[in-house]
Amino acid sequence: RNKMIKTDILIIGAGPTGLFTVFEAGLLKLKCHLIDALPQPGGQCSELYPKKPIYDIPAYPEILAGDLTEKLLEQCKQFEPGFTLGERAETLEKQEDGTFIVTTNKGTKHHAPVVAIAGGLGSFEPRKPLIHNIADYEDKGVEYMIKEPEMYRGKNVVIAGGGDSALDWSIFLSDIADRVTLVHRRNEFRGHLDSVEKVQELKNLGKVNLITPAEITAINGDGRVETVEVTKKGEEPYLLETDHFIPLFGLSPKLGPIGDWGLEIEKNAIKVNNSLDYQTNIPGVFAIGDVNTYPGKLKLILCGFHEATLMCQAAYQIINPGKRYVLKYTTVAGVDGFDGTRK
Ligand code: FAD
């Protein structure tokens, strides 16, 4: 766990901007490692609107946000980026030699000469239910996100929530877990109709235990979750044995720890030098994509791509001081007498 991960550019945020940075850095032979608080890459595109079409990506008249994420991953795969997913970058420490160490909330350490903050609206933090001792059971049976479904094989699982993730995971885990109970404080669900119908079907088949309108009001157990207290409207609370309690009440983005790194912040965004390279007030730390601000800033995916491209040129100079870099096109093969450089 305390192993040091080393890379050239450490990217905080695996949204579209972070993923495209890997590609641009790869063209310059720079290696990247990405940290994201979410268990999957794609940032807002995969977390907030994977099925929504986007119309302003050059050369794609229309592309679903989820498909754009897939394409970005495919494009940067050749440069073999590393990922630390499901962990939030917590601290940034400048070393004497000018390099940086970034540590996550789970203690994973990363070392790099350049840090690119592509943190978007901030890290997506789970909304937690108001249960007084819930923090004591985090990672001891309480999880707010599902990172590894296999961990629930043969287990008793209680999921709480009424949106798509609560429904989708109840459906998915009904094949893996020994028992799945879905608890929601209303009788109506907010998710897609077909997911609601599927859960009803699984309930009728005895594969999902559905309890509504109800809430989990307490957690008990010696060191790990053993039982949860279910309170059904108008009824006496009772205890339900379980190995896991997974509240899926949605995620909300917060600039979070990045706000304490000594960076110049304006209106919840990081100020950068946009006439040059999107560097922040800390040399070697860049901010690109939705997370930054400068005169005329637009929070659009294609602007993040542009900023990533310029930022990588500056990163190259920091990592290879004094070495001249000549811009080449990615496709030059077969062009007679043309070496790819702009004359
Ligand atoms: P994000 O996508 O926000 O990704 C940032 C990532 O950083 C997140 O995954 C977050 O978890 C992570 N992160 C932040 N802080 C930390 C930390 N401390 N530790 C670890 N991880 C961290 N744009 C368009 O161009 N066209 C559109 O049609 C369009 N439609 C949109 C529709 C909706 C509903 C929404 C919400 C946005 C839309 N946008 C659109 C905006 C677009 O999604 C954003 O501009 C884009 O996602 C920004 O990318 P990013 O990589 O900079 O940040």
Side-chain angles (χ1 to χ4, degrees):
R1 177 157 286 296
N2 290 324
K3 193 181 84 183
M4 182 77 80
I5 294 168
K6 286 186 186 234
T7 191
D8 294 325
I9 305 180
L10 179 67
I11 304 170
I12 298 168
T17 306
L19 292 176
F20 191 64
T21 306
V22 177
F23 177 76
E24 284 296 330
L27 294 178
L28 305 177
K29 299 201 169 8
L30 301 175
K31 284 268 168 220
C32 294
H33 187 95
L34 301 109
I35 306 178
D36 206 297
L38 294 173
Q40 80 282 331
Q44 294 172 50
C45 292
S46 58
E47 188 54 38
L48 300 180
Y49 61 104
K51 302 278 184 222
K52 191 189 91 72
I54 305 178
Y55 302 106
D56 55 355
I57 302 299
Y60 280 105
E62 176 179 337
I63 184 166
L64 297 181
D67 292 345
L68 178 68
T69 303
E70 288 305 316
K71 291 277 177 205
L72 286 165
L73 282 165
E74 188 186 320
Q75 189 177 30
C76 73
K77 193 165 169 254
Q78 57 184 312
F79 298 119
E80 299 171 346
F83 287 95
T84 301
L85 295 176
E87 299 187 24
R88 187 181 61 224
E90 204 71 24
T91 58
L92 170 89
E93 294 160 272
K94 192 160 191 158
Q95 308 300 294
E96 263 175 33
D97 63 357
T99 61
F100 300 91
I101 292 180
V102 171
T103 308
T104 69
N105 60 329
K106 302 265 162 96
T108 313
K109 288 187 181 292
H110 307 76
H111 185 204
V114 169
V115 174
I117 303 176
L121 303 173
S123 78
F124 283 91
E125 301 295 322
R127 291 198 189 89
K128 302 180 181 183
L130 295 169
I131 299 174
H132 79 280
N133 60 351
I134 194 160
D136 300 343
Y137 294 101
E138 287 172 1
D139 292 327
K140 295 177 187 129
V142 169
E143 292 95 32
Y144 303 106
M145 287 183 223
I146 293 179
K147 278 196 246 173
E148 183 38 81
E150 272 306 310
M151 137 180 178
Y152 304 102
R153 186 165 291 280
K155 298 282 180 10
N156 283 339
V157 173
V158 173
I159 295 176
D164 278 314
S165 52
L167 292 163
D168 291 349
W169 281 116
S170 297
I171 296 165
F172 191 86
L173 291 181
S174 68
D175 271 339
I176 293 178
D178 187 42
R179 192 189 66 206
V180 173
T181 302
L182 175 59
V183 179
H184 179 41
R185 66 194 170 91
R186 297 184 203 283
N187 284 322
E188 308 75 35
F189 285 87
R190 277 177 287 111
H192 285 116
L193 193 59
D194 51 331
S195 311
V196 178
E197 282 171 359
K198 180 86 189 150
V199 165
Q200 281 295 345
E201 220 172 274
L202 289 168
K203 182 198 167 191
N204 297 338
L205 291 169
K207 294 191 75 179
V208 168
N209 176 20
L210 194 59
I211 310 179
T212 62
E215 282 181 80
I216 300 300
T217 40
I219 305 171
N220 312 296
D222 188 9
R224 273 195 67 84
V225 175
E226 290 169 11
T227 61
V228 289
E229 182 187 74
V230 183
T231 307
K232 229 177 149 177
K233 243 182 211 153
E235 293 181 18
E236 277 298 300
Y238 63 95
L239 294 183
L240 186 65
E241 269 183 37
T242 191
D243 303 303
H244 293 273
F245 172 44
I246 313 173
L248 298 174
F249 293 169
L251 302 169
S252 67
K254 297 212 166 56
L255 190 55
I258 293 172
D260 306 324
W261 290 358
L263 297 161
E264 237 180 286
I265 308 273
E266 195 179 87
K267 288 191 216 131
N268 237 6
I270 303 169
K271 269 178 95 168
V272 290
N273 171 356
N274 75 309
S275 62
L276 202 57
D277 52 15
Y278 304 96
Q279 207 152 180
T280 67
N281 60 313
I282 304 179
V285 177
F286 297 79
I288 49 178
D290 275 17
V291 81
N292 75 13
T293 183
Y294 53 82
K297 168 73 184 175
L298 283 181
K299 290 191 181 185
L300 287 176
I301 295 166
L302 80 105
C303 298
F305 291 167
H306 165 81
E307 293 164 15
T309 307
L310 293 189
M311 177 250 129
C312 284
Q313 300 289 322
Y316 181 87
Q317 291 305 331
I318 292 176
I319 294 165
N320 302 288
K323 208 162 151 185
R324 202 169 84 88
Y325 173 74
V326 184
L327 180 71
K328 292 204 171 75
Y329 296 118
T330 50
T331 46
V332 292
V335 184
D336 240 3
F338 179 59
D339 65 1
T341 50
R342 287 180 185 150
K343 300 272 160 42

